[in-house]
């Protein structure tokens, strides 16, 4: 398993991380034996980054990961979880963050996590489930810093979802060590400019911002919530079709566009769209580790096999640019 330096943290993370989210569902609704077998397989394959959150099954993902890690007692792994500050708690961010982390540590059976990511969207004005950039820098950062000084977290992170300008402002502050960034074949704007009138959020080169700030990148939505399989079918334990992040407004529109990328498979660049999507996400040097949601142990094996083939060749990336050009001007 290839390891990549993760920003300025000094950590080296496996290019394939283990996503414990609710979209794939294995670590939330899966069979306990399947969960343990898949985590053990991942560790044996060199995966050292495990990513969970309170919101994944209302703590179920953390509980299941904690049970398995307590049993396996692996050395040298990196565990990250997340906190979402409720809209009702924005007046007491520090207390909300501390209370959430204490619950996470109990479920994970750990004294500390290596990275704590803020799970709220970040916007200029805040409101609803989002926090403003000011609330993040003036409220969340001091709360996270206090927990770091207490030895309960190693590094500070954000989920880089929300408004592009606000995300750039927070990353440029250098207050955070890690950013979870949307990057996939439908929306590569964290790395490259989009065509005019392209139906996706423009992240305006977030990878350049993370590189300048020394922030490590966790690639999220690399399969666009499953849409980049090219099939709308969901596994029985997978979550319902998720709301897209950064791509189309509707999940079925993402699936339709994904199917229009099948020439990558027909022309021999990859054995499947899913393989192409995983290998695409690895193709940019700013990427530290990628998360691939899974419902079954086989889906982990498929992701591992794709990673072992390495990044897509330049010819495939050029073909993808040409295929994406056809999306320009369409309704998002």
């Amino acid at each position: 398993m290839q390891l990549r330096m993760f920003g300025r943290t000094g950590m080296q993370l496996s290019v394939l991380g283990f996503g414990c989210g609710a979209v794939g569902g294995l670590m939330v609704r899966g069979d306990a034996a399947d969960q343990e077998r898949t985590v053990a397989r991942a560790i044996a394959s060199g995966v050292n980054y495990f990513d969970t959150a309170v919101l994944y099954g209302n703590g179920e993902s953390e509980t299941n990961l904690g049970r398995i890690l307590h049993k396996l007692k692996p050395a040298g792994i990196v565990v990250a979880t997340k906190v979402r500050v409720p809209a009702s708690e924005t007046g007491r961010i520090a207390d909300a963050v501390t209370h959430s982390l204490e619950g996470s540590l109990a479920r994970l059976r750990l004294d500390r996590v290596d990275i704590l990511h803020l799970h709220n969207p970040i916007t200029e004005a805040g409101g609803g489930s989002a926090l403003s950039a000011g609330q993040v820098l003036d409220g969340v950062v001091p709360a996270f810093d206090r927990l770091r000084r207490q030895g309960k977290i190693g590094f500070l992170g954000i989920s880089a979802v929300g408004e592009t300008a606000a995300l750039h402002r927070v990353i440029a502050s250098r207050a955070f060590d890690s950013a979870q960034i949307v990057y996939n074949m439908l929306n590569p704007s964290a790395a490259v400019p989009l065509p005019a009138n392209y139906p996706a959020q423009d992240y305006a080169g977030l990878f350049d911002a993370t590189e300048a700030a020394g922030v490590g990148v966790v690639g999220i939505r690399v399969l666009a919530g499953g849409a980049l399989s090219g099939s709308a079918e969901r596994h029985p334990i997978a979550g319902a079709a998720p709301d897209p992040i950064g791509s189309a407004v509707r999940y079925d529109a993402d699936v339709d566009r994904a199917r229009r990328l099948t020439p990558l498979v027909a022309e021999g660049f990859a054995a499947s769209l899913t393989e192409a999507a995983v290998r695409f996400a690895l193709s940019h040097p700013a990427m530290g580790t990628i998360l691939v949601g899974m419902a079954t142990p086989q889906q982990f094996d498929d992701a591992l096999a794709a990673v072992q083939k390495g990044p897509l060749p330049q010819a495939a990336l050029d073909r993808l640019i040409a295929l994406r050009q056809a999306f320009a001007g369409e309704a998002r």
Side-chain angles (χ1 to χ4, degrees):
M1 177 71 65
Q2 180 190 4
L3 301 177
R4 293 185 182 181
M5 289 299 301
F6 193 68
R8 60 173 182 264
T9 66
M11 294 190 296
Q12 289 189 313
L13 301 189
S14 53
V15 291
L16 177 61
F18 196 100
C20 301
V23 173
L26 175 65
M27 294 299 290
V28 175
R29 293 173 292 274
D31 175 77
D34 281 347
Q35 293 170 347
E36 182 177 332
R37 183 165 59 251
T38 309
V39 170
R41 164 89 166 122
I43 293 168
S45 302
V47 171
N48 70 356
Y49 178 72
F50 291 81
D51 187 279
T52 185
V54 180
L55 285 184
Y56 299 160
N58 193 29
E60 281 299 304
S61 172
E62 291 178 323
T63 297
N64 292 326
L65 181 61
R67 180 193 77 245
I68 295 165
L69 295 182
H70 182 73
K71 180 177 180 180
L72 298 180
K73 295 180 171 55
I77 65 165
V78 174
V79 177
T81 193
K82 307 178 188 73
V83 54
R84 176 167 290 199
V85 178
S88 60
E89 301 290 299
T90 54
R92 47 191 300 273
I93 287 175
D95 289 342
V97 167
T98 299
H99 178 74
S100 179
L101 179 62
E102 287 173 350
S104 293
L105 293 176
R107 289 185 290 272
L108 288 164
R109 307 190 197 189
L110 296 173
D111 296 326
R112 71 188 289 277
V113 290
D114 298 284
I115 308 174
L116 181 63
H117 289 103
L118 177 68
H119 215 173
N120 297 72
I122 302 172
T123 62
E124 289 293 344
S129 64
L131 295 179
S132 71
Q135 287 174 312
V136 173
L137 296 175
D138 298 336
V140 173
V141 171
F144 277 27
D145 269 333
R146 186 176 303 111
L147 293 168
R148 176 158 54 183
R149 290 195 301 272
Q150 293 172 359
K152 295 180 179 180
I153 65 175
F155 298 100
L156 286 58
I158 60 168
S159 293
V161 298
E163 294 175 355
T164 299
L167 298 176
H168 275 266
R169 176 183 168 192
V170 168
I171 287 171
S173 74
R174 298 180 62 88
F176 291 93
D177 309 292
S178 172
Q180 301 207 322
I181 293 180
V182 172
Y183 185 65
N184 57 50
M185 293 197 300
L186 297 174
N187 186 351
S189 64
V192 296
L194 294 176
N197 301 313
Y198 189 86
Q201 179 173 349
D202 186 353
Y203 288 107
L206 270 177
F207 285 170
D208 288 340
T210 57
E211 184 176 9
V215 174
V217 173
V218 179
I220 61 172
R221 290 295 176 108
V222 301
L223 299 180
L228 278 165
S229 68
S231 171
E233 184 178 347
R234 309 289 296 178
H235 190 277
I237 72 164
D243 292 333
I245 301 176
S247 47
V249 173
R250 304 182 328 278
Y251 183 79
D252 60 351
D254 274 351
V255 174
D256 288 343
R257 290 194 179 108
R259 289 170 177 160
R260 292 158 65 187
L261 302 179
T262 54
L264 291 171
V265 178
E267 295 166 19
F269 291 115
S272 67
L273 268 181
T274 302
E275 179 197 305
V278 170
R279 295 175 63 193
F280 170 80
L282 298 176
S283 299
H284 197 281
M287 189 64 69
T289 183
I290 64 169
L291 299 179
V292 178
M294 66 202 82
T296 67
Q298 183 60 51
Q299 289 178 352
F300 170 77
D301 285 341
D302 292 345
L304 179 62
V307 166
Q308 289 172 337
K309 290 185 177 181
L312 287 178
Q314 187 60 48
L317 300 177
D318 293 342
R319 184 69 172 108
L320 185 56
I321 290 171
L323 291 168
R324 264 199 314 263
Q325 184 66 46
F327 303 158
E330 297 179 352
R332 183 172 174 190

